[in-house]
Amino acid sequence: MRELKSSVNKTFAVLEHFTVEKPEWGITELTKVLNSNKSTVYRFLSDMRTMGIIDQNPYSGKYSLGLKLFELGNRVQVQSAFVGKTHPILVDVAKNITETVHIAIIKNKQVFYIDKAESSQGLKISTNIGSSSPLHATSLGKVLLAFSYHNYQNLVTDKILNKTLKPYTPNTITDPKKLIKELEKVRAQQYAIDDEEFELGLVCAGVPIFNTRNELVASLSAAGPSSRYNKEKVKEYVKILQWGADEIKNKIGDFKLNIT
Amino acid sequence: MRELKSSVNKTFAVLEHFTVEKPEWGITELTKVLNSNKSTVYRFLSDMRTMGIIDQNPYSGKYSLGLKLFELGNRVQVQSAFVGKTHPILVDVAKNITETVHIAIIKNKQVFYIDKAESSQGLKISTNIGSSSPLHATSLGKVLLAFSYHNYQNLVTDKILNKTLKPYTPNTITDPKKLIKELEKVRAQQYAIDDEEFELGLVCAGVPIFNTRNELVASLSAAGPSSRYNKEKVKEYVKILQWGADEIKNKIGDFKLNIT
DNA sequence: GACGGTGTTTCATTATATGAAATGTAGTTT
DNA sequence: AAACTACATTTCATATAATGAAACACCGTC
């Protein structure tokens, strides 16, 4: 906390510590991880509680994120102008595929999940909306790289030269040259496959979502256990996903998110 | 801005101005409504942009809410521990009723929408998640009042004595005594009806959602044009809503939101 | 090429944030 | 029930960051 200068920085440094994994914090423990002072942290939380940004559990006294943030989150353009409108389509796609489907964009050189519709089946993956995954090991990410010239260029010039492609399973593509070939394939066939490249046992198929100006807006995928997948199924899923992407295109018109 | 003391206050005073109705702001116009100074507002927005809390449109230069808020909003308990788990049930309910369904809780003595599943029909209402409506003129609100002793007491002792019940249509219940009778009826029949009491042409049916400890957690409603409603339909809808509320109960177990 | 409207930077002044220590509170141990 | 422990909360002198007036920069328009 000491090194952070502006009040905005400090405010959000506090909020950032409240995650899905650790949603509740007391003053003292939060003070430690923030490398700050009890009074300071107390005042931050106290001020935020007054405004509904932070809730306090009346029994434990612990603090957690409040409804004001839920409210603000729903005002963000990606929610109010995109997810809010396209979600019913996603639900339809999930119903037809009977697997969990996701929509993602690029944020900070990662796949950033903005919506999902879960499979009704017992065995399914569970992803948090607002969380991130690696670009090179997911179908969503490969699609976003393959169809965005800007990001593709970034990959070629920056990522490959400076950074290594982290392996997540034995199947993860870690050779930059192979990844570039893979992306060319994705462009050619208009969809991407993640064949247990991020998590063993998990297979995904992803397609791009364009707007009516044919600008890349997001990517759409279906994800399920490898036991339920085969080549025939993938073809079927890709068809349904492409139908969904087309429905979304018609719904959003020329709307564009700033994919960075 | 001058009267606001803490940095947290100032930070969120800026963010609050970004609404669904006016999602984009320039420095100058925002300075005016905040009764502040260009430099100050510029620095706030600039700092927040660096952190992804605010986005800047590269063409117009205007600012809007950023993905960081979307991310934080999805970490709020109501989303991560409730809506995220119960949403598929809501979708099922909407499919069966073929009208838009909502889930709401109480926040600041208002109905606060936390989830929805929209009807696939052309004519439907459109509500923003994270927005609010009056308690006394909606089925969701009447249910929340009727089944929460704390809020019911509040109504009787505070609201009725100090405040008037604002009329929205000729059907709005504005007489406190009538409202109390209405709430008794709601408790007796286990559901509430909003017969064009908030908006002309709009009819809703609402039921309570309890957890496995039978504590009130939220309320669930179906909303559609009066032209599609009749007594038979209402009975059918209430059955489906009660089925949905029961499914949600099984899903959440003894989970409890802090309904205030 | 002057003008009106923006956004951005500068810097001396002002006001708020800070943290050490004192105090309060609740639960636990002796 | 007194001493102890582990928190949360309050106080207040001091340090630090926020502020705003003014200057500057960058448009597009007339």
Side-chain angles (χ1 to χ4, degrees):
Chain A
M1 199 96 134
R2 276 189 253 283
E3 61 284 3
L4 297 168
K5 285 181 186 176
S6 84
S7 60
V8 174
N9 267 273
K10 290 175 230 170
T11 302
F12 281 87
V14 172
L15 291 176
E16 274 293 5
H17 281 83
F18 294 84
T19 62
V20 175
E21 289 73 31
K22 174 132 181 66
E24 288 203 333
W25 288 86
I27 306 275
T28 306
E29 51 177 347
L30 193 51
T31 301
K32 273 178 200 148
V33 299
L34 282 166
N35 187 30
S36 183
N37 176 286
K38 273 205 294 184
S39 320
T40 303
V41 174
Y42 171 74
R43 264 187 313 263
F44 267 101
L45 292 177
S46 188
D47 284 356
M48 290 193 199
R49 181 185 43 197
T50 308
M51 283 180 280
I53 298 153
I54 288 279
D55 279 343
Q56 187 171 23
N57 185 314
Y59 305 106
S60 68
K62 302 264 180 174
Y63 295 85
S64 58
L65 298 180
L67 286 178
K68 177 56 73 188
L69 288 169
F70 177 80
E71 193 180 334
L72 286 171
N74 277 286
R75 293 193 205 161
V76 178
Q77 200 187 30
V78 75
Q79 177 64 44
S80 65
F82 186 81
V83 171
K85 295 187 201 309
T86 61
H87 183 76
I89 299 168
L90 200 65
V91 170
D92 280 349
V93 171
K95 276 266 155 68
N96 286 325
I97 295 188
T98 62
E99 292 288 1
T100 298
V101 294
H102 288 107
I103 293 182
I105 60 177
I106 286 190
K107 183 194 168 198
N108 301 334
K109 298 185 181 176
Q110 290 200 296
V111 168
F112 181 81
Y113 299 99
I114 61 171
D115 198 13
K116 70 173 171 182
E118 292 196 339
S119 155
S120 52
Q121 308 205 46
L123 181 63
K124 65 184 170 204
I125 60 150
S126 195
T127 315
N128 288 320
I129 295 170
S131 71
S132 298
S133 293
L135 283 169
H136 69 284
T138 57
S139 66
L140 288 164
K142 288 195 272 188
V143 165
L144 290 169
L145 285 172
F147 292 96
S148 154
Y149 185 72
H150 168 70
N151 284 306
Y152 180 75
Q153 282 305 105
N154 248 6
L155 175 93
V156 175
T157 56
D158 163 46
K159 191 158 188 177
I160 290 179
L161 296 175
N162 298 332
K163 295 183 194 170
T164 50
L165 300 171
K166 184 179 168 190
Y168 292 89
T169 75
N171 287 9
T172 307
I173 300 173
T174 53
D175 176 0
K177 281 172 196 162
K178 276 192 187 160
L179 182 59
I180 294 200
K181 274 208 173 148
E182 170 80 0
L183 296 180
E184 279 164 15
K185 189 176 160 196
V186 170
R187 261 198 298 273
Q189 68 190 11
Q190 294 284 306
Y191 67 86
I193 298 297
D194 155 13
D195 183 14
E196 310 191 37
E197 294 159 39
F198 183 43
E199 203 177 313
L200 283 176
L202 180 67
V203 177
C204 305
V207 303
I209 298 172
F210 298 106
N211 65 13
T212 49
R213 284 183 188 159
N214 289 319
E215 299 164 315
L216 181 70
V217 177
S219 61
L220 171 66
S221 78
S226 52
S227 52
R228 285 204 290 261
Y229 274 79
N230 59 48
K231 284 199 175 178
E232 275 311 300
K233 282 239 168 165
V234 164
K235 274 188 186 166
E236 187 195 325
Y237 290 174
V238 167
K239 278 236 172 77
I240 299 171
L241 289 172
Q242 283 170 340
W243 168 83
D246 229 54
E247 289 284 302
I248 291 172
K249 174 194 277 194
N250 294 334
K251 189 79 185 181
I252 62 173
D254 62 1
F255 174 79
K256 191 163 177 355
L257 289 165
N258 290 328
I259 297 197
T260 328
Chain B
M1 201 95 134
R2 275 186 256 279
E3 63 284 3
L4 297 167
K5 283 179 185 174
S6 85
S7 60
V8 174
N9 268 273
K10 289 176 229 171
T11 302
F12 281 87
V14 172
L15 291 175
E16 274 292 6
H17 280 85
F18 293 84
T19 61
V20 174
E21 289 73 31
K22 172 130 184 66
E24 288 204 332
W25 288 87
I27 305 276
T28 306
E29 51 177 348
L30 193 50
T31 301
K32 271 177 202 151
V33 298
L34 283 165
N35 187 29
S36 183
N37 176 287
K38 272 204 297 182
S39 319
T40 302
V41 174
Y42 171 74
R43 265 187 313 262
F44 266 101
L45 292 177
S46 188
D47 284 356
M48 291 194 196
R49 180 184 46 197
T50 308
M51 283 180 279
I53 299 153
I54 287 280
D55 279 342
Q56 186 170 25
N57 185 314
Y59 304 108
S60 68
K62 302 264 181 176
Y63 295 85
S64 58
L65 298 180
L67 285 179
K68 177 55 73 188
L69 289 169
F70 177 79
E71 193 180 334
L72 286 171
N74 276 288
R75 292 193 205 160
V76 178
Q77 200 187 31
V78 73
Q79 176 65 44
S80 65
F82 187 81
V83 171
K85 296 187 198 313
T86 60
H87 184 76
I89 299 167
L90 201 66
V91 170
D92 279 350
V93 172
K95 276 265 156 66
N96 286 325
I97 296 188
T98 63
E99 293 288 0
T100 298
V101 295
H102 289 107
I103 293 182
I105 59 178
I106 287 190
K107 183 195 168 198
N108 300 335
K109 297 184 182 177
Q110 289 200 298
V111 168
F112 182 80
Y113 298 99
I114 62 172
D115 197 14
K116 69 174 172 181
E118 292 197 338
S119 154
S120 53
Q121 307 203 48
L123 181 61
K124 65 186 169 203
I125 62 151
S126 195
T127 316
N128 289 320
I129 295 170
S131 70
S132 298
S133 293
L135 283 170
H136 68 285
T138 57
S139 67
L140 287 163
K142 288 194 273 188
V143 165
L144 290 169
L145 284 173
F147 292 96
S148 154
Y149 183 74
H150 169 70
N151 284 304
Y152 180 74
Q153 283 306 103
N154 247 6
L155 175 94
V156 174
T157 56
D158 161 45
K159 191 158 188 179
I160 289 179
L161 295 174
N162 299 331
K163 295 182 192 169
T164 50
L165 300 170
K166 185 179 167 189
Y168 292 89
T169 74
N171 288 9
T172 307
I173 300 172
T174 53
D175 176 0
K177 283 172 195 164
K178 278 192 185 160
L179 181 59
I180 294 201
K181 275 209 172 148
E182 171 79 0
L183 295 180
E184 280 165 14
K185 189 177 159 194
V186 169
R187 261 199 297 274
Q189 67 191 10
Q190 295 283 309
Y191 67 85
I193 298 296
D194 156 13
D195 184 14
E196 310 191 37
E197 294 160 39
F198 183 43
E199 203 178 312
L200 282 176
L202 180 67
V203 178
C204 305
V207 304
I209 298 172
F210 298 106
N211 65 13
T212 48
R213 286 183 188 159
N214 289 319
E215 298 164 317
L216 181 70
V217 177
S219 61
L220 171 65
S221 79
S226 52
S227 52
R228 286 204 289 262
Y229 273 80
N230 58 50
K231 284 198 174 175
E232 276 310 300
K233 283 242 167 163
V234 164
K235 275 189 186 166
E236 186 194 325
Y237 290 174
V238 166
K239 277 237 173 76
I240 300 171
L241 289 172
Q242 284 171 340
W243 167 84
D246 228 54
E247 289 284 302
I248 290 172
K249 174 194 279 193
N250 295 334
K251 188 81 186 180
I252 61 173
D254 62 1
F255 174 79
K256 191 166 175 357
L257 289 165
N258 290 328
I259 296 195
T260 331

